[in-house]
Each structure stands twice: as C-alpha cells, then as structure tokens.
Amino acid sequence: MLTQTKASINKLSDLFKTLSDQLGGQLTENFGEFIIDVNNSIGQGYIRGTQVLSHKLFIEFNLKMSNDITLDLIDMEYNPVHFFYCEKAQFMVNVASGSQQKPVQELQTAIINDKSNTVSISFKANEHVKANVISVCKPYVDNDFSKAVIRIHNRFAPQNGTSLYSYKGSYNVKVATILNQIQETHENELVRKLYLDGLVQMILAMEIEHHKEDMVNQNELIAKLSRKELTTIKELGDHIREHYDDQFTIEDLTNQTGIPAAKLQEGFKHLYGRTVTDYIKNVRLEVAEELLKTTDLTISEVVYSIGFSSRSYFSKIFREKYHCSPKSFQDSIKQRAMAVSA
C-alpha cells in the first residue's frame, strides 16, 4: 500500500515500486509510463501504468504467475472509482478488506467504488491473464476536479448508506479492439503518450456507455450472442483485416465459424457498427487510403491488390467515404510531398 501523506496522483512511482518489489521485477520509466518486466520464478509478463490527464490512472496487466497472487491497486486515500476489463482468462477483484471477491471473466467489464478499503486484484497460478483497470481518482484533500471526474464519482457512488458500489457488466469485445491498438503502438515517446491518453479516454467512455446500455437492455444482446460467439466474431474481424484481399462471402464465413448468418450480422453490428459486407468494404478502403499515401501503385493496381475487381465501383465507394476521387486524393498527396521537399 502507498504511504504518501499528500493525496497526489502525479506519480505512479510509489505504487509501481511496491508492485515491482512484490514481483521481483525490473522497473523502468519512459516518458511517464512505468513498466515492470517480470521474468523469474514468481511469474512471467509485464505491468504497465500511466497517468491520464490529472486524475486518471491506467494500469495494464499481462501476467502468468507461478502461484496465486494478490496485488493492491491505488490506495483508498485517493478515492478511486475502478473500471476493470478482462481481455483474456479471468481474475478476481477483492473488496471490503478481501471479504468479498468479484470474479471478472474474459471480455467482461466491472466497476468498483469501495469507500472503506483499498481494492486489490488476484490472479490464479498458471493462467495467462490480460487485464486492465482505469482508476478515476478524487482525492479527499484535493478540490480541483474536472466536471467529468465529479460526474463519474456521482454516477457510481455507493447507495443507501453502504460503502461499496459494485457492477459487473455483460461481455464487451469493443474494448479489446482498442486495447490491441494500445499494445501495437510503438511510436516515439511523445506520440505514444498522446496516443495512449486518447485511447484510454476512449476506453473509459466505452465502458461508461456499456454500463448505460446494460441498464437499459438488461443483457438483451447477450441472450442472443454468447461470449464464445462474440470472441469468434472478433477473431473473424481480425482475420478479415489481415486478409482483406480474400474473397469473403456470408456463406463461407458462416461455414467457417458455425455461427448462423443472422447472428453473424448482429455480432458485426454490435462490435463494429457495420454489417459484414460493410465491414469488409471499409477495411479495404482504409488499406487503399494507406497504399495511395505511401506507395507508387497506380489506382488500378491498388484496386486489384485489395480484392476489388471493378475500378469504377472502387472510385464510387472511395468518393462516398473520403469525398473525393482516388485520383484527386493521390494527386493531393503528391503535391504535399513536393511542397515539403521544395
């Protein structure tokens, strides 16, 4: 636990020093992002953490422990509301001095506000767990909060004289998609920090919106789509993104996944806000945009390289998305490049 007397969250160093000592890991810091690399008899993996704006902390766990282990999060004096997400396997959230345990399963969200005790997280031995927590803090001795922080604390405050607010959400694959972007970000220090801050804010917004939808729909979607089906559909979306030039049909995808066409469409709308066909088309257009920016391929070559057979159709849907023709887009990129080099 932290021993700071000043309730400031400007640094994660004390918390990460405690975690590093507990895990026997190597602690480093890079442009405000703390990293603990663990490679010993205690376990394998890493923990990363950063402060986002003035009152939010983001901690990412990617661990496989040799024995069961419990790790404290930010001290209760910082008055945090915790937003948990499990990307892989499962973990336990310990509240009320450990007298209550809240399991969080793969692809599940949870929100915890424990006013009486420091919240901790437990991992089982020999399970590769990928999880994260966003802690929105409102320290008791600090009065300088944004309206967003105040509203979050009011919205998820304990009720009826209790000291604990606890919510466990339905399955959410959208958050995992954003987390993949964080894990794949290898920009320089400043760019990564700015990009990370934006993505964490997006995840927090998605989890709050997901809570709102759960309250309205009472898990109506999950009654139709199981966690396994949602995971399969996400994996299918990733496969399409990697093999965008393949010729996909609904019948082929249904046979490949074993998920009926109606459920497949419903899953894509839930995860990506698009039908299967629209998702494939959008992926190809995004690849085409990048190719037009970064290569010397002709427009016809781009069309065929992304899996389309009609240049006129490609030009039509490109204009619909980017409000200009592929030729105009390519010419503007070349003109900007010439202006920079001049």
Side-chain angles (χ1 to χ4, degrees):
M1 295 176 61
L2 295 176
T3 57
Q4 289 174 285
T5 56
K6 183 180 179 182
S8 166
I9 62 166
N10 290 331
K11 293 183 179 179
L12 281 172
S13 56
D14 287 344
L15 175 60
F16 267 69
K17 178 65 167 60
T18 300
L19 294 174
S20 180
D21 290 345
Q22 186 176 356
L23 296 172
Q26 180 179 358
L27 175 61
T28 57
E29 186 267 337
N30 186 25
F31 210 78
E33 183 176 16
F34 289 86
I35 305 158
I36 301 172
D37 287 308
V38 183
N39 183 15
N40 53 39
S41 60
I42 297 175
Q44 306 286 323
Y46 65 81
I47 305 176
R48 294 176 176 266
T50 189
Q51 179 178 329
V52 178
L53 301 181
S54 58
H55 290 91
K56 302 182 187 75
L57 307 177
F58 174 72
I59 302 178
E60 177 191 357
F61 301 88
N62 188 336
L63 295 170
K64 184 176 182 180
M65 308 309 299
S66 301
N67 297 291
D68 293 356
I69 195 166
T70 297
L71 305 173
D72 278 352
L73 299 178
I74 195 73
D75 195 277
M76 60 172 290
E77 71 177 286
Y78 294 94
N79 190 21
V81 177
H82 299 293
F83 293 80
F84 293 94
Y85 183 75
C86 184
E87 186 180 357
K88 182 178 180 180
Q90 64 177 353
F91 60 88
M92 303 294 291
V93 178
N94 308 296
V95 298
S97 297
S99 62
Q100 296 182 40
Q101 289 191 315
K102 309 287 184 180
V104 184
Q105 298 178 329
E106 188 169 319
L107 304 182
Q108 199 166 36
T109 60
I111 303 172
I112 300 291
N113 185 358
D114 189 345
K115 298 294 186 185
S116 62
N117 297 278
T118 297
V119 174
S120 62
I121 183 170
S122 295
F123 303 101
K124 286 189 175 297
N126 301 315
E127 277 196 1
H128 181 194
V129 181
K130 297 174 72 173
N132 71 81
V133 57
I134 300 172
S135 301
V136 181
C137 300
K138 189 170 173 280
Y140 293 109
V141 300
D142 189 351
N143 295 315
D144 185 18
F145 306 113
S146 68
K147 290 182 179 179
V149 169
I150 294 171
R151 288 178 179 176
I152 287 171
H153 272 257
N154 290 341
R155 182 167 182 173
F156 302 107
Q159 302 294 323
N160 303 320
T162 66
S163 61
L164 176 66
Y165 176 90
S166 174
Y167 151 84
K168 189 164 67 172
S170 58
Y171 304 122
N172 186 331
V173 187
K174 295 179 182 179
V175 173
T177 303
I178 304 300
L179 288 170
N180 287 339
Q181 295 181 43
I182 291 177
Q183 292 155 8
E184 293 171 2
T185 301
H186 303 291
E187 305 292 344
N188 65 48
E189 296 172 344
L190 176 60
V191 174
R192 175 176 167 80
K193 174 59 178 170
L194 294 172
Y195 191 57
L196 183 60
D197 285 358
L199 291 177
V200 171
Q201 292 279 81
M202 186 182 300
I203 291 172
L204 180 60
M206 291 171 67
E207 293 195 12
I208 292 173
E209 183 64 21
H210 185 70
H211 170 271
K212 178 182 177 181
E213 291 174 357
D214 271 357
M215 296 300 100
V216 173
N217 298 329
Q218 295 297 313
N219 298 342
E220 182 178 323
L221 175 67
I222 301 306
K224 300 176 183 177
L225 287 165
S226 68
R227 181 181 62 173
K228 182 178 180 181
E229 288 171 331
L230 283 171
T231 302
T232 299
I233 292 171
K234 178 187 177 297
E235 291 172 350
L236 181 60
D238 293 342
H239 176 79
I240 291 171
R241 187 167 288 279
E242 292 173 4
H243 303 276
Y244 50 83
D245 55 335
D246 286 358
Q247 299 304 311
F248 299 102
T249 68
I250 297 296
E251 183 179 359
D252 289 341
L253 296 177
T254 297
N255 292 334
Q256 179 182 334
T257 60
I259 300 175
K263 274 193 170 185
L264 203 61
Q265 296 285 16
E266 189 173 4
F268 266 79
K269 288 177 184 177
H270 173 66
L271 297 181
Y272 306 111
R274 302 175 183 275
T275 64
V276 176
T277 301
D278 282 345
Y279 176 81
I280 295 169
K281 180 174 69 175
N282 189 66
V283 166
R284 289 175 172 175
L285 285 173
E286 289 177 349
V287 174
E289 178 196 10
E290 189 64 21
L291 291 174
L292 290 171
K293 283 181 179 178
T294 60
T295 73
D296 293 325
L297 293 177
T298 66
I299 293 173
S300 294
E301 288 172 332
V302 169
V303 169
Y304 298 123
S305 70
I306 61 174
F308 285 129
S309 57
S310 169
R311 175 168 171 167
S312 61
Y313 173 71
F314 169 74
S315 297
K316 174 178 177 293
I317 62 174
F318 189 95
R319 183 184 291 276
E320 289 173 354
K321 180 175 176 65
Y322 297 105
H323 308 293
C324 66
S325 69
K327 183 68 167 61
S328 297
F329 181 84
Q330 192 175 52
D331 288 345
S332 68
I333 296 296
K334 291 179 179 178
Q335 290 169 6
R336 284 201 293 268
M338 291 175 62
V340 170
S341 61

